[in-house]
């Protein structure tokens, strides 16, 4: 009861003293949602792919784009994920195949992301400077045109940025005073973020350096174990389907090939013989081509 009363008092104090960021977060939500509902962007390219995978998941066709293709020929595993597509599938399962619900949740994620940026600034810059820096940072993030637009699409970025900011906030919040409970929060959200876009896995380097520098080898091992546990179900599924060790997705080889082949545009454009390579080697073999 004492802990709950303390948390309630801190929340009331925050609402009283930080009305500026709360207004900004509300406006970020409003602008993001208004943009989405006004333009009603239909899923295309990657967004259409995530949409199709989510539909196939709830229809019982498995994690694939085209249910008529075998898993080895289907390209679903080469796209970012899998967490975002399961997130979409959960929304469709509960609310039906309605993009409006996704837009609203994306808008909420963007508002909460702006709040997390403010809280990160509060931890980094202290009582003297955090408010001005935090408010400016939240405004720049919240009203950046590209991020508003991406929030109106079925793309991983909005979800991924939200999870990544939670990871950064948890690490900074408990900097210097980690314990097993705090470490569980870090490992949980870090694993979820990696399951959305694996690029954040590079954060392992500064995290492990920090724990090793403080001679907390056990914590470093614990963090690795937690993330591994979160990735294990998907890794097992991939091994059962493709007979390879694959903790996230298979697109590293595709990225290198499409970005460096003759005539490449630097934007990951599909090479002319892309489908031919997949037909010959399968999706996993093509990724290692």
């Amino acid at each position: 009861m004492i802990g709950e009363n303390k948390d309630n008092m801190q929340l009331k104090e925050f609402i009283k003293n930080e009305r500026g960021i709360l207004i900004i977060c509300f406006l970020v939500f409003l602008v993001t949602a208004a943009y989405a509902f006004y333009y009603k962007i239909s899923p295309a390219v990657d967004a259409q792919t995530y949409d199709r995978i989510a539909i196939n998941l709830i229809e019982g066709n498995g994690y694939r784009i085209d249910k008529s293709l075998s898993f080895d020929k289907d390209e679903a595993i080469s796209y970012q994920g899998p967490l975002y597509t399961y997130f979409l599938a959960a929304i469709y399962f509960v609310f039906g195949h309605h993009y409006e619900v996704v837009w609203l949740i994306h808008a909420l994620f963007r508002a909460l992301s702006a709040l997390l940026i403010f809280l990160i600034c509060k931890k980094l810059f202290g009582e003297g400077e955090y408010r001005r820096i935090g408010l400016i940072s939240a405004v720049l993030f919240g009203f950046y045109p590209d991020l508003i637009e991406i929030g109106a699409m079925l793309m991983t970025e909005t979800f991924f940025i939200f999870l990544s900011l939670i990871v950064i906030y948890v690490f900074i919040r408990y900097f210097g005073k980690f314990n097993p409970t705090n470490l569980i929060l870090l490992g949980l959200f870090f694993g979820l973020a990696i399951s959305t876009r694996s690029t954040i896995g590079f954060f392992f380097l500064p995290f492990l350096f920090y724990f090793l520098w403080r001679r907390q080898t056990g914590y470093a091992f614990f963090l690795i174990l937690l993330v591994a546990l979160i990735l294990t179900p998907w890794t097992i599924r991939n091994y059962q389907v493709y007979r390879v060790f694959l903790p996230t997705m298979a697109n590293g080889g595709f990225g290198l090939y499409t970005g460096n082949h003759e005539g490449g545009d630097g934007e990951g454009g599909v090479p002319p013989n892309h489908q031919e390579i997949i037909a010959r080697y399968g999706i996993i073999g093509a990724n290692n081509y």
Side-chain angles (χ1 to χ4, degrees), residues 163-271:
L163 289 176
S164 300
L165 286 170
I166 294 178
V167 171
I168 295 169
Y169 174 69
V170 170
F171 183 74
I172 292 174
R173 177 181 173 86
Y174 297 110
F175 190 82
K177 53 180 180 180
F178 268 98
N179 58 45
T181 302
N182 303 335
L183 199 58
I184 289 173
L185 286 174
L186 179 64
L188 171 63
F189 286 105
F190 191 27
L192 293 176
I194 291 174
S195 296
T196 306
R197 294 182 73 94
S198 60
T199 49
I200 197 176
F202 286 107
F203 276 36
F204 259 127
L205 296 177
F207 290 166
L208 295 180
F209 174 80
Y210 165 78
F211 288 123
L212 294 176
W213 172 62
R214 294 183 61 87
R215 299 181 180 178
Q216 296 174 329
T217 307
Y219 282 5
F221 177 78
F222 191 38
L223 178 63
I224 294 173
L225 179 63
L226 283 171
V227 174
L229 285 174
I230 292 172
L231 298 177
T232 292
W234 185 246
T235 305
I236 293 174
R237 177 266 179 192
N238 288 337
Y239 187 80
Q240 290 175 337
V241 173
Y242 303 108
R243 294 300 172 187
V244 294
F245 176 76
L246 195 62
T248 54
M249 71 286 188
N251 70 352
F254 285 120
L256 287 173
Y257 184 76
T258 58
N260 294 280
H261 77 282
E262 184 177 356
D265 58 9
E267 294 291 336
V270 176

Side-chain angles (χ1 to χ4, degrees), residues 14 18-26 114-115 118 134-135 138-139:
F14 182 85
E18 307 295 357
R19 292 178 181 174
I21 185 60
L22 296 178
I23 292 172
I24 289 172
C25 291
F26 175 73
L115 177 61
F118 179 81
L135 292 176
V139 167

